[in-house]
Amino acid sequence: GDGDSNDGFVTIKNIERELICPACKELFTHPLILPCQHSICHKCVKELLLTLDDSFNDVGSDNSNQSSPRLRLPSPSMDKIDRINRPGWKRNSLTPRTTIFPCPGCEHDVDLGERGINGLFRNFTLETIVERYRQAARAATAIMCDLCKPPPQESTKSCMDCSASYCNECFKIHHPWGTIKAQHEYVGPTTNFRPKILMCPEHETERINMYCELCRRPVCHLCKLGGNHANHRVTTMSSAYKTLKEKLSKDIDYLIGKESQVKSQISELNLLMKETECNGERAKEEAITHFEKLFEILEERKSSVLKAIDSSKKLRLDKFQTQMEEYQGLLENNGLVGYAQEVLKETDQSCFVQTAKQLHLRIQKATESLKSFRPAAQTSFEDYVVNTSKQTELLGELSFFSSGIDVPEINEEQSKVYNNALINWHHPEKDKADSYVLEYRKINREDEMSWNEIEVCGTSKIIQDLENSSTYAFRVRAYKGSICSPCSRELILHTPPAPVFSFLFDEKCGYNNEHLLLNLKRDRVESRAGFNLLLAAERIQVGYYTSLDYIIGDTGITKGKHFWAFRVEPYSYLVKVGVASSDKLQEWLRSPRDAVSPRYEQDSGHDSGSEDACFDSSQPFTLVTIGMKKFFIPKSPTSSNEPENRVLPMPTSIGIFLDYDKGKVSFYDMDHMKCLYERQVDCSHTLYPAFALMGSGGIQLEEPITAKYLEYQEDM
């Protein structure tokens, strides 16, 4: 190759594309090996995780301050709760940090597990090659001695044990004869120092001495004994080194042996590129010709339509002009009236009668027309509206003859938006398409936003970083080779009004496990209408003995805008949903059996008349009733309280938007992101998502839309 004469510089220069990080597009610095075997800079992994952490749990943050780090802080008023002798109340634990992100190299999701970045190996081989490349690229730039007094001398060697570079004098001073330091290993000047022995990221005091064939990564004996690799097939490091080196050398030799074949294929590719260039230009010219023909037809139709409108306009204006002149003739001293006034001056009787008879008929006719005024023509041009709907649809589907690929269809039922957007589509010729392009844009009344495009291999995609309280359009098209299908019909989705608030049901505070059943994930609760109640039935002699069973979110809110959503099971008899302050919850939960039942408490919002009692005052809770497949809007003094206006069909999914700073809570129909009801709420204490159930019922929290774990099919 050409590199022989130039000391390997050209060779090293030609491999630059292999040394670029897929995330920052710069030369690797401290590359780490991901589970999918791609490498990425240490700093890039950290930035990716931070970005995802930021966009995922927007908890405790104000919507207006998007860039600030999001923290979950227990509010001061939580201390009040801690002082109450209720073992159930607990401080909120921090959420686990995000450890899943898409690999910038292959876009598959990578899960770093509990150890996070610490569980990844540094790619020292790649680091050394990058360093060699840097040195070749800046051959003239010297590496200076780290120990010289200013001005430093150029270094002549680097010590791998000290991880420093020295000039001859400093090296002698710091590595005196007869000491252990004299035995240190040194190389030519470098800035790339790496440990002599690779240590295990899982067991930091153990050196790497085996290779796991299943996970394709080096491991230590503790990993094999009782760690994650206990049942995996492992081989000795020397045997793995030998096998891989032989395989790699063999494959490289094969490729080098085929150099002339590679060169002839490169020439062929050059020819194909030129041919593609010519054919592409020709196809563009033909397309322009077709469009110009369409423009000509449109121009011709446009001018004939405008002509028809103009001639109709002229005809009508002429009729109006004639009618106006007739009416002007009815004014005094004008036209017909003026002439009649002159005729009246005639004194000869026979002459007068001769003229007046005809004139009287005309005057009578004018009088009649005055009584029933009828314009001579229509002003509306509604018969002249051009109907282009059919043609617009046809033009929208304008595509190539040999499209040979069907239009994909977005599945509206399986596509939704919550913390992110999940778009699912299906394609009749699924196996024939190589890939898809998903396009989306924010719909803005003022100006047309441009489409964002993402290439996708499967038939679903999660889109992150959409703006809150916005409307987005999505569409998808399929690709096979260089042929592209037309775009699917657009799907319109509305994003929530605030960042999604992440919480689970609290299994301690006030949770009644006799009546309520919580699943292990703590995102679903069911109320079991009770056998216990039947057992206690002998004691019940008065009505209204049953009470609501409360369950709350495990995270409180002390500032900012937050949104969360859930589904109420259609069979539910009575469910209340909303927010409640810490002190109100203490009151309700302290001992619901002995205390005055919230049912009769005048300001609790639970008895039938209480809504009327507290309209103006902003109360420290708001709960809306749902049941028997209906959503009940609370009574209000300002609007109609007739049942038909207050009782709506229950939405499939219900959202709650709390603006803590403005003291406002709103209830949403998630399907259309439409606000059903809103009111003021007192935000002087920590507020919690609150739920209450009576009779049989169930509530399922909406699951945040996150990337699924990637299963690596690894073959050695």
Side-chain angles (χ1 to χ4, degrees):
D2 308 13
D4 305 345
S5 59
N6 204 354
D7 204 21
F9 175 64
V10 176
T11 326
I12 209 97
K13 188 91 180 108
N14 290 344
I15 66 168
E16 178 173 348
R17 57 183 293 184
E18 299 293 329
L19 312 181
I20 300 279
C21 168
C24 62
K25 306 288 186 246
E26 289 174 11
L27 286 175
F28 282 108
T29 45
H30 307 311
L32 301 175
I33 304 172
L34 299 178
C36 58
Q37 304 298 307
H38 288 101
S39 290
I40 175 172
C41 300
H42 182 271
K43 64 174 183 353
C44 296
V45 179
K46 282 176 85 169
E47 279 168 18
L48 274 167
L49 289 175
L50 273 171
T51 314
L52 285 171
D53 244 5
D54 250 17
S55 67
F56 189 63
N57 279 329
D58 289 350
V59 178
S61 73
D62 189 342
N63 201 22
S64 61
N65 192 0
Q66 287 292 323
S67 61
S68 65
R70 277 82 194 243
L71 297 173
R72 286 193 169 201
L73 293 175
S75 75
S77 57
M78 288 291 280
D79 296 339
K80 212 165 72 173
I81 293 171
D82 286 338
R83 285 202 295 275
I84 292 181
N85 292 331
R86 295 184 54 78
W89 287 103
K90 65 176 178 30
R91 281 188 184 276
N92 184 34
S93 55
L94 285 165
T95 27
R97 299 195 74 72
T98 312
T99 59
I100 304 173
F101 64 92
C103 162
C106 60
E107 292 205 345
H108 281 129
D109 288 331
V110 171
D111 183 9
L112 298 187
E114 287 177 22
R115 290 187 58 76
I117 294 183
N118 299 335
L120 297 176
F121 279 108
R122 244 170 92 177
N123 192 339
F124 286 112
T125 307
L126 177 56
E127 218 168 299
T128 307
I129 296 169
V130 169
E131 182 54 33
R132 225 181 291 154
Y133 170 81
R134 284 186 203 275
Q135 285 187 358
R138 58 155 194 248
T141 317
I143 293 170
M144 307 312 282
C145 173
D146 293 327
L147 279 297
C148 275
K149 287 176 182 162
Q153 299 291 308
E154 211 172 293
S155 68
T156 53
K157 41 179 81 80
S158 295
C159 175
M160 298 311 280
D161 296 271
C162 304
S163 298
S165 297
Y166 301 91
C167 64
N168 279 336
E169 287 305 310
C170 291
F171 188 80
K172 285 177 194 167
I173 295 166
H174 289 276
H175 299 77
W177 282 105
T179 64
I180 295 173
K181 280 195 171 184
Q183 293 162 21
H184 281 188
E185 181 194 343
Y186 62 88
V187 294
T190 181
T191 54
N192 177 39
F193 300 102
R194 70 187 202 187
K196 289 183 174 181
I197 300 164
L198 272 188
M199 304 308 276
C200 174
E202 294 282 328
H203 313 97
E204 284 150 10
T205 54
E206 299 299 321
R207 57 190 290 175
I208 291 298
N209 55 4
M210 286 181 278
Y211 183 80
C212 174
E213 293 187 358
L214 182 67
C215 304
R216 295 196 296 180
R217 63 179 281 164
V219 292
C220 72
H221 71 281
L222 286 183
C223 293
K224 175 62 185 157
L225 278 175
N228 297 335
H229 307 267
N231 301 320
H232 296 181
R233 205 168 98 198
V234 298
T235 175
T236 62
M237 191 54 81
S238 56
S239 138
Y241 170 76
K242 196 175 162 199
T243 311
L244 280 168
K245 189 150 192 170
E246 275 173 16
K247 275 188 180 179
L248 194 58
S249 305
K250 201 170 158 191
D251 290 347
I252 290 169
D253 290 344
Y254 174 79
L255 285 175
I256 291 169
K258 296 284 180 185
E259 192 163 333
S260 60
Q261 191 183 334
V262 172
K263 282 183 176 171
S264 76
Q265 285 170 356
I266 288 171
S267 309
E268 196 178 329
L269 284 170
N270 276 322
L271 284 172
L272 291 173
M273 281 169 74
K274 283 178 187 164
E275 203 177 316
T276 306
E277 185 75 37
C278 293
N279 291 344
E281 286 306 312
R282 193 178 305 131
K284 270 169 71 178
E285 283 164 19
E286 284 175 12
I288 288 168
T289 311
H290 285 299
F291 278 103
E292 278 170 353
K293 277 183 189 167
L294 283 176
F295 296 151
E296 279 170 28
I297 294 168
L298 283 171
E299 276 301 330
E300 187 271 320
R301 295 305 300 141
K302 180 177 151 187
S303 67
S304 74
V305 163
L306 295 180
K307 215 180 216 172
I309 293 172
D310 273 339
S311 60
S312 174
K313 183 177 83 174
K314 185 178 181 303
L315 189 70
R316 296 179 197 203
L317 289 173
D318 287 349
K319 283 185 178 179
F320 280 129
Q321 188 60 42
T322 309
Q323 191 179 16
M324 196 157 75
E325 284 168 5
E326 281 176 10
Y327 272 83
Q328 277 173 336
L330 305 183
L331 298 173
E332 195 177 351
N333 302 325
N334 235 357
L336 183 64
V337 173
Y339 172 59
Q341 285 172 321
E342 289 304 315
V343 169
L344 282 172
K345 292 176 185 172
E346 175 63 63
T347 52
D348 186 298
Q349 289 179 353
S350 52
C351 289
F352 175 79
V353 168
Q354 189 187 10
T355 314
K357 182 65 184 161
Q358 178 62 26
L359 182 61
H360 186 234
L361 285 171
R362 285 179 67 196
I363 291 280
Q364 266 184 323
K365 203 175 169 187
T367 312
E368 284 302 313
S369 76
L370 206 59
K371 284 176 189 168
S372 58
F373 175 68
R374 197 175 280 113
Q378 270 193 330
T379 56
S380 162
F381 276 77
E382 59 190 15
D383 297 339
Y384 287 81
V385 175
V386 182
N387 177 11
T388 58
S389 55
K390 204 164 92 183
Q391 290 79 0
T392 307
E393 200 173 316
L394 282 169
L395 286 171
E397 290 170 5
L398 196 65
S399 186
F400 303 110
F401 266 129
S402 62
S403 170
I405 184 163
D406 284 355
V407 183
E409 281 177 37
I410 293 182
N411 184 331
E412 292 190 28
E413 284 175 15
Q414 289 179 16
S415 300
K416 60 177 184 172
V417 71
Y418 191 34
N419 55 322
N420 295 318
L422 168 65
I423 307 299
N424 259 299
W425 57 92
H426 94 158
H427 195 217
E429 298 189 25
K430 189 176 172 186
D431 302 330
K432 289 191 183 174
D434 300 333
S435 64
Y436 299 89
V437 168
L438 176 62
E439 297 184 350
Y440 67 97
R441 71 173 176 193
K442 188 177 168 187
I443 296 174
N444 205 327
R445 279 193 193 137
E446 288 78 51
D447 47 4
E448 188 88 338
M449 308 287 276
S450 59
W451 291 91
N452 299 293
E453 294 191 353
I454 309 170
E455 192 170 346
V456 187
C457 293
T459 53
S460 66
K461 181 68 183 170
I462 289 170
I463 297 172
Q464 300 171 328
D465 304 324
L466 298 180
E467 287 177 36
N468 292 318
S469 206
S470 304
T471 304
Y472 282 86
F474 301 87
R475 65 187 190 192
V476 68
R477 58 180 193 269
Y479 274 89
K480 174 159 179 60
S482 54
I483 298 170
C484 164
S485 81
C487 281
S488 68
R489 278 214 306 271
E490 287 180 20
L491 170 68
I492 307 294
L493 290 177
H494 308 280
T495 57
V500 167
F501 180 62
S502 191
F503 69 90
L504 296 169
F505 288 122
D506 194 324
E507 84 282 24
K508 295 191 177 74
C509 165
Y511 169 59
N512 181 341
N513 61 4
E514 280 183 24
H515 296 173
L516 300 181
L517 178 67
L518 193 56
N519 68 347
L520 283 172
K521 278 170 74 181
R522 292 199 287 121
D523 65 351
R524 179 183 177 82
V525 66
E526 287 181 25
S527 164
R528 296 176 290 190
F531 189 61
N532 292 330
L533 187 64
L534 291 176
L535 284 175
E538 289 109 325
R539 291 188 290 123
I540 301 176
Q541 304 304 336
V542 285
Y544 299 128
Y545 187 80
T546 54
S547 66
L548 290 161
D549 290 305
Y550 281 89
I551 189 160
I552 65 168
D554 62 359
T555 308
I557 295 169
T558 55
K559 62 173 182 178
K561 297 178 182 178
H562 305 280
F563 184 83
W564 59 94
F566 48 87
R567 294 190 299 280
V568 172
E569 292 297 346
Y571 66 78
S572 304
Y573 173 63
L574 191 161
V575 169
K576 283 180 175 275
V577 298
V579 292
S581 70
S582 46
D583 55 341
K584 200 74 195 170
L585 286 165
Q586 289 163 34
E587 204 177 297
W588 290 342
L589 299 173
R590 192 173 289 118
S591 48
R593 289 283 172 212
D594 314 328
V596 178
S597 162
R599 179 180 302 284
Y600 304 111
E601 213 183 300
Q602 204 40 47
D603 71 340
S604 76
H606 293 296
D607 72 306
S608 58
S610 70
E611 287 97 340
D612 310 330
C614 52
F615 281 129
D616 306 324
S617 61
S618 169
Q619 54 198 23
F621 65 92
T622 290
L623 294 170
V624 161
T625 304
I626 294 162
M628 297 176 74
K629 299 185 186 172
K630 296 284 185 278
F631 180 97
F632 297 84
I633 292 175
K635 285 184 182 176
S636 121
T638 52
S639 61
S640 157
N641 286 316
E642 295 305 314
E644 61 267 23
N645 298 323
R646 288 205 304 121
V647 181
L648 307 176
M650 179 178 84
T652 323
S653 181
I654 295 156
I656 294 182
F657 167 37
L658 173 65
D659 187 336
Y660 190 94
D661 305 327
K662 286 189 179 165
K664 194 171 79 179
V665 64
S666 316
F667 296 80
Y668 277 75
D669 172 352
M670 277 287 284
D671 290 339
H672 310 98
M673 210 56 83
K674 176 186 165 197
C675 182
L676 303 173
Y677 173 67
E678 67 177 29
R679 68 159 294 156
Q680 292 302 115
V681 64
D682 175 6
C683 290
S684 49
H685 293 86
T686 308
L687 287 179
Y688 288 84
F691 306 85
L693 299 94
M694 185 165 46
S696 52
I699 301 169
Q700 170 74 55
L701 299 180
E702 280 292 352
E703 200 176 333
I705 298 170
T706 54
K708 296 279 182 286
Y709 287 76
L710 172 69
E711 289 172 17
Y712 299 107
Q713 284 105 32
E714 285 157 351
D715 50 342
M716 169 79 177

